[in-house]
Each structure stands twice: as C-alpha cells, then as structure tokens.
Amino acid sequence: MTAEETLILVKPDGVARNLTGEILRRVEAKGYRIVDLKLVNADRTLLAEHYAEHEGKPFYEPLLEFMGSGPIVAVRASGNRVIEGFRALAGATDPTTAAPGTIRGDLGRDWGLAVQQNLVHGSDSTLSAERELGLWFA
C-alpha cells in the first residue's frame, strides 16, 4: 500500500506558544513520517489561495489576518491513512469541546475568539492535501 501525504500547519498560536515540538512529537509518535518541514511567514496571496473555499464567509478576513499574524510551520507528513489519522489526532476544531488526548483537547485554549486559533490545520481529503501541498511546498 502506498502511503498518503497530507499538509499539517502549526498555526501562529501554536508557534507563539512554543508548541511546535510537542505537536511534531505527537505526529511522529502516531507513526507518521515528516517528509518536509519549513517555517513560513505566509503572505496574503498564499493564505487567500489556501482558504479560497471560505471566501465571502464572515470568518474569512479574520482567518487570513490571524494566519498572517506570525510564523507558521508547514509540514508534509506521510503515512497510512495520515489524513484521517491526523484529523483525529488534532481533535475537534473548537478547543473547548475537543476530546482529551487530542492536540486541541490537551493544548488548545478557549480565547473567547473565533475557533481559527486552534493550533493546527490538517488537510481534510486527498484532493485537499494534493492542492494544499502544492501551495505550501511548490
């Protein structure tokens, strides 16, 4: 079986809180392989392409502003069912309701803000992973 790949982003809040190492440790402990990794100060063009499907939604502009507010760690990860597995490892998008044992459940905070400040992003499908990896690792 061919291993699939996914994009994982450690968002600006995760980087600012020095959680990158812990997040990567959990990815590797789950058995996934880090194929490529880089620290990125994403510009608006990259972020707009990444979040294109959300354009026009109320949270779109705040999301772009937040994602451009600091460095992001972009990770190309590989493994059997890594897309599904990482999303389970990340936990629910709302850190308050994310299950204990997940990245967001254990490390996330409820800032009383929109849930975009939830430490990580993971591609939601093979098509999304292919598109997103092409953007971040062109």
Side-chain angles (χ1 to χ4, degrees), residues 48-110:
E49 287 182 67
H50 180 86
Y51 290 109
E53 71 272 15
H54 299 304
E55 189 171 2
K57 295 179 183 172
F59 61 85
Y60 178 74
E61 285 299 328
L63 177 59
L64 294 190
E65 187 178 316
F66 164 66
M67 290 297 288
S69 70
I72 296 167
V73 175
V75 180
R76 179 188 294 265
S78 173
N80 184 43
R81 296 172 65 190
V82 68
I83 295 168
E84 175 186 9
F86 177 74
R87 289 180 66 81
L89 184 63
T93 56
D94 182 348
T96 300
T97 60
T102 65
I103 291 167
R104 293 175 180 139
D106 291 350
L107 307 173
R109 292 182 177 167
D110 181 354

CSV table of all heavy atoms in Angstrom, one decimal, residues 48-110:
chain,number,residue,atom,x,y,z
A,48,ALA,N,-4.9,33.4,0.9
A,48,ALA,CA,-6.1,33.5,0.1
A,48,ALA,C,-6.3,32.3,-0.8
A,48,ALA,O,-7.5,31.8,-0.9
A,48,ALA,CB,-6.1,34.8,-0.7
A,49,GLU,N,-5.3,31.8,-1.4
A,49,GLU,CA,-5.4,30.5,-2.2
A,49,GLU,C,-5.7,29.3,-1.3
A,49,GLU,O,-6.5,28.5,-1.6
A,49,GLU,CB,-4.1,30.3,-2.9
A,49,GLU,CG,-3.8,31.2,-4.1
A,49,GLU,CD,-2.5,30.9,-4.8
A,49,GLU,OE1,-2.5,29.8,-5.4
A,49,GLU,OE2,-1.6,31.7,-4.8
A,50,HIS,N,-5.0,29.3,-0.1
A,50,HIS,CA,-5.3,28.1,0.8
A,50,HIS,C,-6.7,28.1,1.2
A,50,HIS,O,-7.3,27.0,1.3
A,50,HIS,CB,-4.3,28.2,2.0
A,50,HIS,CG,-4.5,27.1,2.9
A,50,HIS,ND1,-3.8,25.9,2.8
A,50,HIS,CD2,-5.2,27.0,4.0
A,50,HIS,CE1,-4.2,25.1,3.8
A,50,HIS,NE2,-5.0,25.8,4.6
A,51,TYR,N,-7.3,29.2,1.6
A,51,TYR,CA,-8.6,29.3,2.2
A,51,TYR,C,-9.7,29.8,1.1
A,51,TYR,O,-10.7,30.3,1.5
A,51,TYR,CB,-8.6,30.2,3.4
A,51,TYR,CG,-7.9,29.6,4.6
A,51,TYR,CD1,-6.7,30.1,5.0
A,51,TYR,CD2,-8.4,28.5,5.2
A,51,TYR,CE1,-6.0,29.6,6.1
A,51,TYR,CE2,-7.8,27.9,6.3
A,51,TYR,CZ,-6.6,28.5,6.7
A,51,TYR,OH,-5.9,27.9,7.8
A,52,ALA,N,-9.4,29.6,-0.1
A,52,ALA,CA,-10.3,30.1,-1.2
A,52,ALA,C,-11.7,29.6,-1.1
A,52,ALA,O,-12.6,30.4,-1.3
A,52,ALA,CB,-9.7,29.7,-2.6
A,53,GLU,N,-12.0,28.4,-0.6
A,53,GLU,CA,-13.3,27.9,-0.5
A,53,GLU,C,-14.1,28.7,0.6
A,53,GLU,O,-15.4,28.6,0.6
A,53,GLU,CB,-13.4,26.4,-0.2
A,53,GLU,CG,-12.9,26.0,1.2
A,53,GLU,CD,-11.4,25.8,1.3
A,53,GLU,OE1,-10.6,26.2,0.4
A,53,GLU,OE2,-11.0,25.2,2.3
A,54,HIS,N,-13.5,29.4,1.4
A,54,HIS,CA,-14.2,30.2,2.5
A,54,HIS,C,-14.4,31.7,2.2
A,54,HIS,O,-15.0,32.4,3.0
A,54,HIS,CB,-13.4,30.1,3.8
A,54,HIS,CG,-13.3,28.7,4.3
A,54,HIS,ND1,-14.3,27.9,4.5
A,54,HIS,CD2,-12.2,27.9,4.6
A,54,HIS,CE1,-13.9,26.7,5.0
A,54,HIS,NE2,-12.6,26.7,5.0
A,55,GLU,N,-13.9,32.1,1.0
A,55,GLU,CA,-14.0,33.5,0.6
A,55,GLU,C,-15.5,33.9,0.7
A,55,GLU,O,-16.4,33.2,0.2
A,55,GLU,CB,-13.5,33.7,-0.8
A,55,GLU,CG,-13.4,35.2,-1.2
A,55,GLU,CD,-12.6,35.4,-2.4
A,55,GLU,OE1,-12.2,34.5,-3.1
A,55,GLU,OE2,-12.5,36.6,-2.8
A,56,GLY,N,-15.8,35.1,1.2
A,56,GLY,CA,-17.1,35.6,1.4
A,56,GLY,C,-17.8,35.2,2.6
A,56,GLY,O,-18.9,35.8,3.0
A,57,LYS,N,-17.3,34.2,3.4
A,57,LYS,CA,-17.9,33.8,4.7
A,57,LYS,C,-17.4,34.8,5.7
A,57,LYS,O,-16.4,35.5,5.6
A,57,LYS,CB,-17.4,32.4,5.0
A,57,LYS,CG,-18.0,31.4,4.1
A,57,LYS,CD,-17.5,30.0,4.4
A,57,LYS,CE,-18.0,29.0,3.4
A,57,LYS,NZ,-17.4,27.6,3.6
A,58,PRO,N,-18.2,35.0,6.8
A,58,PRO,CA,-17.9,36.0,7.8
A,58,PRO,C,-16.5,35.8,8.5
A,58,PRO,O,-15.9,36.8,8.9
A,58,PRO,CB,-19.0,35.8,8.9
A,58,PRO,CG,-20.1,35.1,8.2
A,58,PRO,CD,-19.5,34.3,7.1
A,59,PHE,N,-16.1,34.6,8.6
A,59,PHE,CA,-14.8,34.4,9.3
A,59,PHE,C,-13.6,34.5,8.4
A,59,PHE,O,-12.4,34.4,8.8
A,59,PHE,CB,-14.8,33.0,10.0
A,59,PHE,CG,-15.0,31.8,9.1
A,59,PHE,CD1,-13.9,31.3,8.4
A,59,PHE,CD2,-16.2,31.3,8.8
A,59,PHE,CE1,-14.1,30.2,7.6
A,59,PHE,CE2,-16.4,30.2,8.0
A,59,PHE,CZ,-15.3,29.7,7.3
A,60,TYR,N,-13.8,34.7,7.1
A,60,TYR,CA,-12.7,34.6,6.1
A,60,TYR,C,-11.6,35.7,6.4
A,60,TYR,O,-10.4,35.4,6.5
A,60,TYR,CB,-13.2,34.8,4.7
A,60,TYR,CG,-12.2,34.8,3.6
A,60,TYR,CD1,-11.6,33.7,3.2
A,60,TYR,CD2,-11.9,36.0,2.9
A,60,TYR,CE1,-10.6,33.7,2.2
A,60,TYR,CE2,-11.0,36.1,1.9
A,60,TYR,CZ,-10.3,34.9,1.5
A,60,TYR,OH,-9.4,34.9,0.5
A,61,GLU,N,-12.0,37.0,6.5
A,61,GLU,CA,-11.0,38.0,6.7
A,61,GLU,C,-10.3,37.9,8.0
A,61,GLU,O,-9.1,38.0,8.1
A,61,GLU,CB,-11.6,39.4,6.6
A,61,GLU,CG,-11.9,39.8,5.1
A,61,GLU,CD,-10.7,39.9,4.2
A,61,GLU,OE1,-9.6,40.2,4.7
A,61,GLU,OE2,-10.8,39.6,3.0
A,62,PRO,N,-11.0,37.6,9.1
A,62,PRO,CA,-10.3,37.4,10.4
A,62,PRO,C,-9.4,36.2,10.4
A,62,PRO,O,-8.3,36.2,11.0
A,62,PRO,CB,-11.4,37.2,11.4
A,62,PRO,CG,-12.6,37.8,10.8
A,62,PRO,CD,-12.5,37.7,9.3
A,63,LEU,N,-9.7,35.2,9.6
A,63,LEU,CA,-8.9,34.0,9.5
A,63,LEU,C,-7.6,34.4,8.8
A,63,LEU,O,-6.5,34.0,9.2
A,63,LEU,CB,-9.6,32.9,8.7
A,63,LEU,CG,-8.8,31.6,8.5
A,63,LEU,CD1,-8.4,31.0,9.8
A,63,LEU,CD2,-9.7,30.6,7.7
A,64,LEU,N,-7.7,35.1,7.6
A,64,LEU,CA,-6.5,35.5,6.9
A,64,LEU,C,-5.6,36.4,7.8
A,64,LEU,O,-4.4,36.3,7.8
A,64,LEU,CB,-6.9,36.2,5.6
A,64,LEU,CG,-7.6,35.4,4.5
A,64,LEU,CD1,-7.6,36.2,3.2
A,64,LEU,CD2,-6.9,34.1,4.3
A,65,GLU,N,-6.2,37.3,8.5
A,65,GLU,CA,-5.5,38.2,9.4
A,65,GLU,C,-4.7,37.4,10.5
A,65,GLU,O,-3.5,37.6,10.7
A,65,GLU,CB,-6.4,39.2,10.0
A,65,GLU,CG,-5.7,40.3,10.8
A,65,GLU,CD,-6.7,41.3,11.4
A,65,GLU,OE1,-7.6,41.7,10.7
A,65,GLU,OE2,-6.5,41.6,12.6
A,66,PHE,N,-5.4,36.5,11.1
A,66,PHE,CA,-4.8,35.6,12.1
A,66,PHE,C,-3.7,34.8,11.5
A,66,PHE,O,-2.6,34.8,12.1
A,66,PHE,CB,-5.8,34.7,12.8
A,66,PHE,CG,-5.2,33.6,13.6
A,66,PHE,CD1,-4.4,33.8,14.7
A,66,PHE,CD2,-5.3,32.3,13.1
A,66,PHE,CE1,-3.8,32.8,15.4
A,66,PHE,CE2,-4.7,31.2,13.8
A,66,PHE,CZ,-4.0,31.5,14.9
A,67,MET,N,-3.9,34.1,10.4
A,67,MET,CA,-2.9,33.3,9.8
A,67,MET,C,-1.7,34.1,9.3
A,67,MET,O,-0.6,33.5,9.2
A,67,MET,CB,-3.5,32.4,8.7
A,67,MET,CG,-4.5,31.4,9.2
A,67,MET,SD,-3.7,30.1,10.3
A,67,MET,CE,-2.8,29.2,9.1
A,68,GLY,N,-1.9,35.3,9.0
A,68,GLY,CA,-0.7,36.2,8.6
A,68,GLY,C,-0.1,36.9,9.8
A,68,GLY,O,0.9,37.7,9.6
A,69,SER,N,-0.5,36.6,11.0
A,69,SER,CA,-0.1,37.4,12.2
A,69,SER,C,1.3,36.9,12.7
A,69,SER,O,1.9,37.6,13.6
A,69,SER,CB,-1.1,37.3,13.3
A,69,SER,OG,-1.2,36.0,13.9
A,70,GLY,N,1.8,35.8,12.3
A,70,GLY,CA,3.1,35.3,12.8
A,70,GLY,C,3.5,34.1,12.0
A,70,GLY,O,2.8,33.6,11.1
A,71,PRO,N,4.6,33.5,12.3
A,71,PRO,CA,5.2,32.4,11.6
A,71,PRO,C,4.3,31.1,11.7
A,71,PRO,O,3.6,31.0,12.7
A,71,PRO,CB,6.5,32.1,12.2
A,71,PRO,CG,6.8,33.1,13.2
A,71,PRO,CD,5.5,34.0,13.4
A,72,ILE,N,4.3,30.3,10.6
A,72,ILE,CA,3.5,29.1,10.6
A,72,ILE,C,4.6,28.0,10.2
A,72,ILE,O,5.5,28.2,9.4
A,72,ILE,CB,2.5,29.1,9.4
A,72,ILE,CG1,1.4,30.2,9.7
A,72,ILE,CG2,1.9,27.8,9.2
A,72,ILE,CD1,0.5,30.5,8.5
A,73,VAL,N,4.4,26.8,10.9
A,73,VAL,CA,5.3,25.7,10.5
A,73,VAL,C,4.4,24.8,9.6
A,73,VAL,O,3.4,24.3,9.9
A,73,VAL,CB,5.7,24.9,11.7
A,73,VAL,CG1,6.5,23.6,11.3
A,73,VAL,CG2,6.6,25.8,12.6
A,74,ALA,N,4.9,24.7,8.3
A,74,ALA,CA,4.3,23.8,7.3
A,74,ALA,C,5.0,22.5,7.3
A,74,ALA,O,6.2,22.4,7.2
A,74,ALA,CB,4.3,24.5,5.9
A,75,VAL,N,4.2,21.4,7.4
A,75,VAL,CA,4.7,20.1,7.4
A,75,VAL,C,4.1,19.2,6.3
A,75,VAL,O,2.8,19.2,6.2
A,75,VAL,CB,4.4,19.4,8.8
A,75,VAL,CG1,4.9,18.0,8.9
A,75,VAL,CG2,4.9,20.3,9.9
A,76,ARG,N,4.9,18.5,5.6
A,76,ARG,CA,4.4,17.4,4.7
A,76,ARG,C,4.6,16.1,5.5
A,76,ARG,O,5.8,15.8,5.8
A,76,ARG,CB,5.3,17.4,3.4
A,76,ARG,CG,4.8,16.3,2.4
A,76,ARG,CD,5.8,16.2,1.3
A,76,ARG,NE,5.8,17.3,0.4
A,76,ARG,CZ,5.0,17.5,-0.7
A,76,ARG,NH1,4.3,16.5,-1.1
A,76,ARG,NH2,5.1,18.6,-1.4
A,77,ALA,N,3.5,15.5,5.8
A,77,ALA,CA,3.6,14.2,6.6
A,77,ALA,C,3.1,13.1,5.7
A,77,ALA,O,2.2,13.3,4.9
A,77,ALA,CB,2.8,14.4,7.8
A,78,SER,N,3.6,11.9,6.0
A,78,SER,CA,3.3,10.7,5.2
A,78,SER,C,3.0,9.6,6.1
A,78,SER,O,3.5,9.5,7.2
A,78,SER,CB,4.5,10.4,4.3
A,78,SER,OG,4.3,9.2,3.6
A,79,GLY,N,2.1,8.7,5.7
A,79,GLY,CA,1.7,7.5,6.4
A,79,GLY,C,0.4,6.9,6.0
A,79,GLY,O,-0.3,7.5,5.2
A,80,ASN,N,0.2,5.7,6.4
A,80,ASN,CA,-1.1,5.0,6.1
A,80,ASN,C,-2.2,5.8,6.7
A,80,ASN,O,-2.2,6.0,7.9
A,80,ASN,CB,-1.0,3.6,6.6
A,80,ASN,CG,-2.2,2.8,6.3
A,80,ASN,OD1,-2.7,2.9,5.1
A,80,ASN,ND2,-2.7,2.0,7.2
A,81,ARG,N,-3.2,6.2,5.9
A,81,ARG,CA,-4.4,6.9,6.3
A,81,ARG,C,-4.0,8.2,7.2
A,81,ARG,O,-4.7,8.5,8.1
A,81,ARG,CB,-5.3,6.0,7.1
A,81,ARG,CG,-5.9,4.9,6.2
A,81,ARG,CD,-6.6,3.9,7.0
A,81,ARG,NE,-7.9,4.4,7.6
A,81,ARG,CZ,-8.6,3.8,8.5
A,81,ARG,NH1,-8.3,2.6,8.9
A,81,ARG,NH2,-9.7,4.4,8.9
A,82,VAL,N,-2.9,8.9,6.8
A,82,VAL,CA,-2.4,10.0,7.6
A,82,VAL,C,-3.4,11.2,7.6
A,82,VAL,O,-3.5,11.9,8.6
A,82,VAL,CB,-1.0,10.5,7.1
A,82,VAL,CG1,-1.1,11.1,5.7
A,82,VAL,CG2,-0.4,11.5,8.0
A,83,ILE,N,-4.2,11.3,6.5
A,83,ILE,CA,-5.2,12.5,6.5
A,83,ILE,C,-6.2,12.2,7.6
A,83,ILE,O,-6.4,13.1,8.5
A,83,ILE,CB,-5.8,12.6,5.1
A,83,ILE,CG1,-4.8,13.0,4.1
A,83,ILE,CG2,-7.0,13.6,5.2
A,83,ILE,CD1,-5.3,12.9,2.6
A,84,GLU,N,-6.8,11.1,7.6
A,84,GLU,CA,-7.9,10.8,8.6
A,84,GLU,C,-7.2,10.7,10.0
A,84,GLU,O,-7.8,11.2,11.0
A,84,GLU,CB,-8.5,9.4,8.2
A,84,GLU,CG,-9.4,8.8,9.2
A,84,GLU,CD,-9.9,7.4,8.8
A,84,GLU,OE1,-9.3,6.8,7.9
A,84,GLU,OE2,-10.8,6.9,9.5
A,85,GLY,N,-6.1,10.1,10.1
A,85,GLY,CA,-5.4,9.9,11.4
A,85,GLY,C,-5.0,11.2,12.0
A,85,GLY,O,-5.1,11.4,13.2
A,86,PHE,N,-4.4,12.2,11.2
A,86,PHE,CA,-4.0,13.4,11.8
A,86,PHE,C,-5.2,14.2,12.2
A,86,PHE,O,-5.2,14.9,13.3
A,86,PHE,CB,-3.1,14.3,10.9
A,86,PHE,CG,-2.8,15.6,11.5
A,86,PHE,CD1,-1.9,15.7,12.6
A,86,PHE,CD2,-3.5,16.8,11.2
A,86,PHE,CE1,-1.7,16.9,13.3
A,86,PHE,CE2,-3.3,17.9,11.9
A,86,PHE,CZ,-2.4,18.0,12.9
A,87,ARG,N,-6.3,14.2,11.5
A,87,ARG,CA,-7.5,15.0,11.9
A,87,ARG,C,-8.1,14.4,13.2
A,87,ARG,O,-8.5,15.2,14.0
A,87,ARG,CB,-8.5,15.0,10.7
A,87,ARG,CG,-8.0,15.9,9.6
A,87,ARG,CD,-9.0,15.9,8.4
A,87,ARG,NE,-10.2,16.6,8.8
A,87,ARG,CZ,-10.4,17.9,8.8
A,87,ARG,NH1,-9.4,18.7,8.5
A,87,ARG,NH2,-11.6,18.4,9.1
A,88,ALA,N,-8.0,13.1,13.4
A,88,ALA,CA,-8.4,12.5,14.7
A,88,ALA,C,-7.5,13.0,15.8
A,88,ALA,O,-7.9,13.3,16.9
A,88,ALA,CB,-8.5,11.0,14.6
A,89,LEU,N,-6.2,13.0,15.5
A,89,LEU,CA,-5.2,13.4,16.5
A,89,LEU,C,-5.3,14.9,16.8
A,89,LEU,O,-5.1,15.3,18.0
A,89,LEU,CB,-3.8,13.1,15.9
A,89,LEU,CG,-2.5,13.4,16.7
A,89,LEU,CD1,-2.5,12.5,18.0
A,89,LEU,CD2,-1.3,13.2,15.9
A,90,ALA,N,-5.7,15.7,15.8
A,90,ALA,CA,-5.9,17.1,16.1
A,90,ALA,C,-7.1,17.4,17.0
A,90,ALA,O,-7.0,18.3,17.9
A,90,ALA,CB,-6.1,17.9,14.8
A,91,GLY,N,-8.1,16.7,16.8
A,91,GLY,CA,-9.3,16.9,17.6
A,91,GLY,C,-10.3,17.9,17.0
A,91,GLY,O,-10.0,18.5,16.0
A,92,ALA,N,-11.4,18.0,17.6
A,92,ALA,CA,-12.5,18.9,17.2
A,92,ALA,C,-11.9,20.4,17.0
A,92,ALA,O,-11.0,20.8,17.8
A,92,ALA,CB,-13.7,19.0,18.1
A,93,THR,N,-12.4,21.1,16.0
A,93,THR,CA,-11.9,22.4,15.8
A,93,THR,C,-12.0,23.4,17.0
A,93,THR,O,-11.2,24.3,17.1
A,93,THR,CB,-12.5,23.1,14.5
A,93,THR,OG1,-13.9,23.1,14.7
A,93,THR,CG2,-12.2,22.3,13.3
A,94,ASP,N,-13.0,23.2,17.8
A,94,ASP,CA,-13.2,24.0,19.0
A,94,ASP,C,-12.5,23.4,20.1
A,94,ASP,O,-12.8,22.4,20.6
A,94,ASP,CB,-14.7,24.1,19.3
A,94,ASP,CG,-15.0,25.0,20.5
A,94,ASP,OD1,-14.1,25.4,21.2
A,94,ASP,OD2,-16.2,25.3,20.7
A,95,PRO,N,-11.4,24.1,20.6
A,95,PRO,CA,-10.6,23.5,21.7
A,95,PRO,C,-11.3,23.2,23.0
A,95,PRO,O,-11.0,22.3,23.7
A,95,PRO,CB,-9.5,24.6,21.9
A,95,PRO,CG,-9.4,25.4,20.7
A,95,PRO,CD,-10.8,25.4,20.1
A,96,THR,N,-12.4,24.0,23.2
A,96,THR,CA,-13.2,23.7,24.4
A,96,THR,C,-13.9,22.4,24.4
A,96,THR,O,-14.0,21.7,25.5
A,96,THR,CB,-14.2,24.8,24.6
A,96,THR,OG1,-13.6,26.1,24.7
A,96,THR,CG2,-15.1,24.6,25.9
A,97,THR,N,-14.3,21.9,23.2
A,97,THR,CA,-15.0,20.6,23.2
A,97,THR,C,-14.2,19.5,22.6
A,97,THR,O,-14.6,18.4,22.5
A,97,THR,CB,-16.3,20.8,22.3
A,97,THR,OG1,-15.9,21.2,21.0
A,97,THR,CG2,-17.2,21.8,22.9
A,98,ALA,N,-12.9,19.8,22.2
A,98,ALA,CA,-12.0,18.8,21.7
A,98,ALA,C,-11.7,17.8,22.8
A,98,ALA,O,-11.5,18.1,24.0
A,98,ALA,CB,-10.8,19.4,21.2
A,99,ALA,N,-11.7,16.5,22.4
A,99,ALA,CA,-11.5,15.4,23.4
A,99,ALA,C,-10.1,15.4,24.0
A,99,ALA,O,-9.2,15.7,23.4
A,99,ALA,CB,-11.8,14.1,22.7
A,100,PRO,N,-10.0,15.1,25.3
A,100,PRO,CA,-8.7,14.9,25.9
A,100,PRO,C,-7.9,13.9,25.2
A,100,PRO,O,-8.5,12.9,24.6
A,100,PRO,CB,-9.1,14.4,27.4
A,100,PRO,CG,-10.5,14.9,27.6
A,100,PRO,CD,-11.1,14.9,26.3
A,101,GLY,N,-6.6,14.1,25.1
A,101,GLY,CA,-5.8,13.2,24.3
A,101,GLY,C,-5.5,13.7,22.9
A,101,GLY,O,-4.6,13.2,22.3
A,102,THR,N,-6.3,14.6,22.5
A,102,THR,CA,-6.1,15.2,21.1
A,102,THR,C,-5.2,16.5,21.3
A,102,THR,O,-5.1,17.0,22.4
A,102,THR,CB,-7.4,15.6,20.4
A,102,THR,OG1,-8.0,16.7,21.2
A,102,THR,CG2,-8.3,14.4,20.3
A,103,ILE,N,-4.6,16.9,20.2
A,103,ILE,CA,-3.8,18.2,20.3
A,103,ILE,C,-4.6,19.3,20.8
A,103,ILE,O,-4.2,20.0,21.7
A,103,ILE,CB,-3.2,18.5,18.9
A,103,ILE,CG1,-2.1,17.4,18.5
A,103,ILE,CG2,-2.5,19.9,18.9
A,103,ILE,CD1,-1.7,17.4,17.1
A,104,ARG,N,-5.8,19.6,20.2
A,104,ARG,CA,-6.6,20.7,20.6
A,104,ARG,C,-7.2,20.5,22.0
A,104,ARG,O,-7.3,21.4,22.8
A,104,ARG,CB,-7.7,21.0,19.6
A,104,ARG,CG,-7.1,21.4,18.3
A,104,ARG,CD,-8.2,21.6,17.2
A,104,ARG,NE,-7.7,22.1,15.9
A,104,ARG,CZ,-8.1,21.6,14.8
A,104,ARG,NH1,-9.0,20.6,14.7
A,104,ARG,NH2,-7.6,22.0,13.7
A,105,GLY,N,-7.5,19.3,22.3
A,105,GLY,CA,-8.1,19.0,23.6
A,105,GLY,C,-7.1,19.2,24.8
A,105,GLY,O,-7.5,19.6,25.9
A,106,ASP,N,-5.9,18.8,24.5
A,106,ASP,CA,-4.9,18.9,25.6
A,106,ASP,C,-4.2,20.3,25.6
A,106,ASP,O,-3.8,20.7,26.7
A,106,ASP,CB,-3.8,17.8,25.4
A,106,ASP,CG,-4.2,16.4,25.7
A,106,ASP,OD1,-5.4,16.2,26.2
A,106,ASP,OD2,-3.5,15.5,25.3
A,107,LEU,N,-4.0,20.9,24.5
A,107,LEU,CA,-3.1,22.1,24.4
A,107,LEU,C,-3.9,23.3,24.0
A,107,LEU,O,-3.4,24.4,24.2
A,107,LEU,CB,-2.0,21.8,23.4
A,107,LEU,CG,-1.2,20.6,23.6
A,107,LEU,CD1,-0.2,20.4,22.4
A,107,LEU,CD2,-0.4,20.7,24.9
A,108,GLY,N,-5.1,23.2,23.4
A,108,GLY,CA,-5.9,24.3,23.0
A,108,GLY,C,-6.4,25.1,24.1
A,108,GLY,O,-6.7,24.6,25.2
A,109,ARG,N,-6.7,26.4,23.8
A,109,ARG,CA,-7.3,27.3,24.8
A,109,ARG,C,-8.5,27.9,24.2
A,109,ARG,O,-8.6,28.2,23.0
A,109,ARG,CB,-6.3,28.4,25.2
A,109,ARG,CG,-5.1,27.9,25.9
A,109,ARG,CD,-4.3,29.1,26.3
A,109,ARG,NE,-3.1,28.8,27.1
A,109,ARG,CZ,-2.1,29.6,27.3
A,109,ARG,NH1,-2.1,30.8,26.8
A,109,ARG,NH2,-1.1,29.2,28.1
A,110,ASP,N,-9.5,28.2,25.0
A,110,ASP,CA,-10.6,29.0,24.6
A,110,ASP,C,-10.3,30.5,24.9
A,110,ASP,O,-10.4,30.9,26.0
A,110,ASP,CB,-11.9,28.5,25.3
A,110,ASP,CG,-13.1,29.3,24.9
A,110,ASP,OD1,-13.0,30.3,24.1
A,110,ASP,OD2,-14.2,29.0,25.3
